[in-house]
Amino acid sequence: MSAGALASRFTALRQARRRALVCYVTAGFPDAAATVTLVQGLAAAGADVIELGIPFSDPLADGPVIQGSSQRALDNGMTYEGALALIGRARVDVPIILFTYLNPLLAAGPDALRRAVDAGAAGVLVTDLPVGADPPREEWLGSSGLAFVRLVAPTTPPARMAEIARHGSGFVYLISRLGVTGERADLPPELPLTVQRLRSATDLPVCVGFGIARRDQATAVGRLADGIVVGSALVAAAGRSIDGAIDLARELRRGLDAAGGELPGAGAPTRAAGEASRATPPA
Amino acid sequence: MSTLATHDRFGIFGGRYVPETLIPALEALDQALTQALADPAFRSEIDDLLGTYVGRPSPLSTAPRLSALAGAPVYLKREDLNHTGAHKINNTVGQAVLARRMGKRRIIAETGAGQHGVATATICARFGLQCVVYMGTEDMRRQELNVYRMRLMGATVTPVDSGTRTLKDATTEAIRDWVTNVNDSHYIIGSVVGPAPYPRMVREFQSVIGREARRQILERAGRLPHTVVACVGGGSNAIGIFSGFVDDRAVELIGVEAGGEGLDTDRHAASLTRGTPGVLHGSLSYLLQDAAGQVHPAHSISAGLDYPGVGPEHAYLKDSGRATYVAVSDAEALAAFELLSRSEGIIPALETAHAVAWVAAQAGRWQADQPVLLCVSGRGDKDVGQVSALGLGAGEAAGGVGRAGAAGAAPVGETSRR
């Protein structure tokens, strides 16, 4: 699986007028075997994309839940290589993207991304590598054969939104609010406007994350965007029981399905596929 | 596209490796800094505060007994005599004036030894700004007095109980706060670390040390120093004093890192001496890390040096060969803490004591006419409780005879007097 898998998934989703459920799991939390069970269960519960978190000792964009899961995973001996191995063990028909900080990825060496492609990863997202921060390394990621998912923040000005989308593929991850990852009671009131601004900047699918934990939130965001990303709520649930986390995913799926139908302002689905083919690995 | 200008890298080091949310704030900060530095009113406001509030210029002292030990005239740049007792206030004054120009009313800071936290709380009190300081619980234990000082001046000290509960984790937590409150808050980083433009900005505000020291030593010694020595944790006092001499190619620059329990143990904080390039807290620099890129906990007896990273400009100065970095152990630093107290009547911060230890151990390295400039980055009052709890530092006090202390440096005897 590679960049193409993510693009075809979103093309199919748009044709089916189905919103994407993107589920984050920390590789190695609560342990490696449970991660495999969880990924399989999430796929069966209706996840469309899985974000597999590479644990890092200093996750500065994450709130307490993902911090705790990362530390636990590291204590369990999880590594970049170990996380790649989980993809093969899970064998799910859902694109898996690596969610990582830059340092563990750099430490994995110059062929880290090729090994990820070989392991079956479809994409990569690097939390602390914003557009323009390091062009050579961004080029390395953009030409790896993996979809390179970029993030847009509530603080991102419109011109920069377009630039971010131009340098990314697969989908755009819209951070719904200021701050670190974690569950919140309410959706930010300015979210519809932010999604609208991002829509006018790109045809790539837009998935919204940070703070989404409940079925009603899933429905509300599903009316605005191509999908939702759920992280901390799932990780917290998985810390209690794997079945509980899978139940939550099912619940969120129902919430998203209640929001189905035509998406306001969404571009043609062909763009996503086009972006992905540009990222085809060199022979 | 908004690629970073080359002035935001030091060779390959530095950069802006942060979550997207912070990018507009860093760009705004960069612009505000550029505009401010071009504005004479900004410079004169800072100069006025440094003169009338901080007490600058800080003196350059001779150190007769340490000089005898080193075999060369040692001059001490007395940052310990600044208001709040360390060089940290040079930076917090500059950044607070800038934050006020930018309309930010809430200030965030991290602190290790507490000196930067105190310096931030101080200027916030002076300006009436809200101040939140993140501090590891291990450091709060080691530096209780500074916690009290910050709270006395109205700052909120927020304990950080994650990771190693020291400066690294306090910095991570401060960045998380900034990501959350970026619209109304300015983050005053305490060292030449973090994403661009922080390393360059903090150097700018600390360069007053080097400017003054260069003028003072030319007046006093009639020549440039042979060697400039400073301790390096994140590296801001070192960058500050080095900046005055970096273009004088003949002047040797020595940064002294914390060797902890030894460079061959895993308990030290010598990022430049033993680390490898990696990304932490927004910049690429030397870093203590394992083969998987996980940050390795640092250790130093000195809370201010207890950090696994180092400013990117130091990484560049190391790789380019312009500066040399060495390490001094906990035990050697403790001995030097006592040495400077007894031989010169100056109780240095444990951070500074690392630089003192290196100089004291270099007998024979210099000729009698080669001046050595040592940056006394801070005073050691904050460390007295910690050192006395170790049962060190006050031995033979009744007899009034100098002794070397725990280990390392040679004793200071009658022969060293001039």
Side-chain angles (χ1 to χ4, degrees), chain B residues 221-405:
Chain B
R223 54 161 291 180
L224 287 170
H226 183 273
T227 305
V228 177
V229 187
C231 63
V232 176
S236 67
N237 90 90
I239 283 294
I241 199 159
F242 287 0
S243 70
F245 303 93
V246 75
D247 293 333
D248 302 309
R249 307 302 292 184
V251 175
E252 178 184 44
L253 307 176
I254 303 281
V256 185
E257 294 194 291
E261 294 174 7
L263 292 179
D264 297 325
T265 71
D266 63 356
R267 307 248 311 148
H268 61 76
S271 323
L272 290 160
T273 313
R274 279 290 191 270
T276 51
V279 172
L280 178 68
H281 295 150
S283 63
L284 175 67
S285 186
Y286 278 86
L287 181 62
L288 298 178
Q289 57 183 330
D290 67 16
Q294 307 297 339
V295 179
H296 193 283
H299 163 80
S300 170
I301 188 138
S302 142
L305 303 184
D306 195 346
Y307 183 67
V310 65
E313 188 168 2
H314 284 295
Y316 173 70
L317 291 174
K318 172 192 158 79
D319 277 15
S320 66
R322 179 64 191 93
T324 303
Y325 296 88
V326 297
V328 153
S329 72
D330 286 349
E332 290 164 332
L334 280 167
F337 180 78
E338 188 177 344
L339 170 72
L340 201 68
S341 302
R342 298 229 170 174
S343 64
E344 303 296 345
I346 296 169
I347 302 173
L350 277 176
E351 292 79 12
T352 307
H354 286 73
V356 175
W358 185 82
V359 169
Q362 303 304 308
R365 190 174 199 279
W366 297 290
Q367 289 164 16
D369 63 346
Q370 295 183 324
V372 176
L373 174 62
L374 168 58
C375 189
V376 181
S377 56
R379 66 180 180 226
D381 306 45
K382 69 184 175 62
D383 299 311
V384 167
Q386 186 194 354
V387 174
S388 73
L390 292 169
L392 302 171
E396 297 180 33
V401 179
R403 71 177 183 100

Side-chain angles (χ1 to χ4, degrees), chain A:
Chain A
M1 213 178 273
S2 67
L6 201 57
S8 352
R9 176 61 57 133
F10 276 98
T11 304
L13 286 170
R14 275 195 183 172
Q15 279 162 358
R17 299 182 174 188
R18 173 179 153 112
R19 304 295 185 264
L21 175 58
V22 182
C23 293
Y24 171 91
V25 301
T26 301
F29 177 81
D31 58 49
T35 306
V36 172
T37 312
L38 179 58
V39 167
Q40 291 167 339
L42 293 173
D48 298 295
V49 177
I50 306 275
E51 286 182 357
L52 185 63
I54 309 294
F56 179 48
S57 53
D58 295 82
L60 56 75
D62 286 300
V65 170
I66 294 180
Q67 288 172 44
S69 71
S70 302
Q71 193 52 54
R72 172 88 170 268
L74 291 173
D75 293 345
N76 289 338
M78 183 50 61
T79 59
Y80 181 77
E81 235 51 55
L84 294 187
L86 296 181
I87 300 175
R89 282 170 66 186
R91 293 174 173 278
V92 288
D93 184 30
V94 168
I96 295 180
I97 65 180
L98 303 176
F99 180 103
T100 186
Y101 287 82
L102 184 57
N103 205 52
L105 185 62
L106 294 180
D111 67 344
L113 300 173
R114 190 189 51 72
R115 300 201 306 277
V117 172
D118 292 348
V124 61
L125 182 158
V126 186
T127 317
D128 53 354
L129 186 62
V131 166
D134 190 335
R137 290 193 172 94
E138 292 172 75
E139 171 61 24
W140 174 57
L141 283 145
S143 64
S144 62
L146 298 168
F148 188 15
V149 177
R150 311 306 291 264
L151 297 114
V152 163
T155 51
T156 306
R160 186 169 161 85
M161 284 182 176
E163 185 184 316
I164 291 171
R166 257 202 318 280
H167 289 87
S169 56
F171 64 94
V172 179
Y173 185 138
L174 174 63
I175 297 168
S176 70
R177 65 185 74 235
L178 302 181
V180 295
T181 56
E183 299 174 41
R184 308 292 201 292
D186 305 307
L187 292 171
E190 70 283 5
L191 183 61
L193 187 64
T194 315
V195 175
Q196 201 183 350
R197 275 165 44 200
L198 180 53
R199 283 255 181 258
S200 46
T202 181
D203 292 336
L204 280 178
V206 173
C207 294
V208 177
F210 277 44
I212 301 172
R214 295 193 319 263
R215 180 175 172 164
D216 61 308
Q217 293 173 323
T219 306
V221 178
R223 294 204 170 107
L224 305 169
D226 296 88
I228 61 169
V229 186
V230 186
S232 298
L234 279 173
V235 172
R240 295 185 291 268
S241 93
I242 298 299
D243 288 345
I246 294 165
D247 287 345
L248 174 61
R250 227 175 258 124
E251 187 68 8
L252 294 164
R253 176 78 264 164
R254 284 190 206 103
L256 275 181
D257 289 345
E262 200 59 49
L263 203 54
T270 48
R271 175 66 195 278
E275 282 293 309
S277 62
R278 189 175 58 79
T280 299

